[in-house]
Amino acid sequence: MDFRKSMLDSMARGFGRLGETIERRPWLVIVLSALVAVLVGLGAGGIYLETEGVYLWIPTTSQTYKDFLTYNDEYQDGAKLNFLNLIVSAADGGSVLRKSVLEEAMDLHHNVTIDFTSKKGETFDDHCFKAVAAVNGVDSPCQANNFLQIFGYSVSGIPIADSAIVADVNAANAVSSIASALGGIAYDGSGQILSA
């Protein structure tokens, strides 16, 4: 007798006995099945459902996974897409559209995006989102969206007169709305920004 035939005969006998038991004691089988289902279901409350795609689909031995962990450790833990928001207000409660306030905001911007170096020697530039030549035909610097861009991210680009600063902000606002980058905006009757 070959092994395959004996295995099939043994399975047939086992399932045959199981069928006979179910036929003789159907309620016992139903109650035991329901009890097993309830006991197994009680443990479901302890199940953690992972929703972070990096943990679900990227091998833990890959460089992408290691970079993700490093980035989250250094910058913003647990975020899928990380944003860095710097909220600046004038100490005296006045408008931020003044040279003294903009110089402090520019200094803060440089401290975070240029001067900061992590304990591993990495900078903001190492982790920020950039358009790359392979996709866009040209490499770009870090993508940023704030009103300091109006002044070229440079203190020397900030006009001395407050009225010139407001004029530059209005000129930029005419091209593309900067309302999302400024809060507490006050407008004049013609829709021009007076202060923020």
Side-chain angles (χ1 to χ4, degrees):
M1 183 187 277
D2 73 349
F3 176 74
R4 183 173 182 272
K5 182 167 177 14
S6 69
M7 185 178 73
L8 290 173
D9 289 343
S10 148
M11 287 176 62
R13 280 192 305 275
F15 282 116
R17 282 190 221 116
L18 178 63
E20 290 170 3
T21 303
I22 292 170
E23 182 182 16
R24 282 191 310 255
R25 299 188 179 118
W27 287 108
L28 177 63
V29 173
I30 291 170
V31 169
L32 287 176
S33 298
L35 184 62
V36 168
V38 168
L39 290 175
V40 170
L42 289 176
I47 294 175
Y48 172 71
L49 296 176
E50 181 61 68
T51 59
E52 177 60 64
V54 171
Y55 300 125
L56 290 171
W57 310 115
I58 297 177
T60 57
T61 56
S62 71
Q63 186 61 44
T64 300
Y65 181 80
K66 292 172 187 169
D67 290 345
F68 173 80
L69 294 179
T70 300
Y71 178 80
N72 276 346
D73 287 346
E74 291 296 326
Y75 294 98
Q76 186 177 356
D77 186 34
K80 292 180 169 117
L81 181 60
N82 295 298
F83 294 93
L84 178 63
N85 295 312
L86 301 176
I87 300 172
V88 178
S89 61
D92 63 4
S95 176
V96 296
L97 302 179
R98 295 179 290 167
K99 186 167 179 73
S100 61
V101 177
L102 291 175
E103 285 175 341
E104 288 184 38
M106 198 71 72
D107 187 46
L108 178 61
H109 174 77
H110 282 273
N111 285 341
V112 170
T113 61
I114 296 170
D115 298 337
F116 172 78
T117 303
S118 74
K119 56 189 167 217
K120 296 178 185 170
E122 298 168 317
T123 65
F124 180 79
D125 192 59
D126 294 325
H127 295 281
C128 69
F129 175 77
K130 300 175 189 175
V132 292
V135 176
N136 299 300
V138 64
D139 285 330
S140 76
C142 292
Q143 299 295 305
N145 180 24
N146 69 48
F147 72 97
L148 297 177
Q149 184 176 5
I150 297 168
F151 309 106
Y153 297 109
S154 170
V155 171
S156 63
I158 302 171
I160 295 172
D162 291 348
S163 60
I165 292 171
V166 172
D168 286 353
V169 169
N170 277 307
N173 192 49
V175 174
S176 177
S177 175
I178 60 170
S180 64
L182 293 172
I185 300 174
Y187 297 94
D188 67 12
S190 64
Q192 294 290 303
I193 296 173
L194 295 173
S195 65

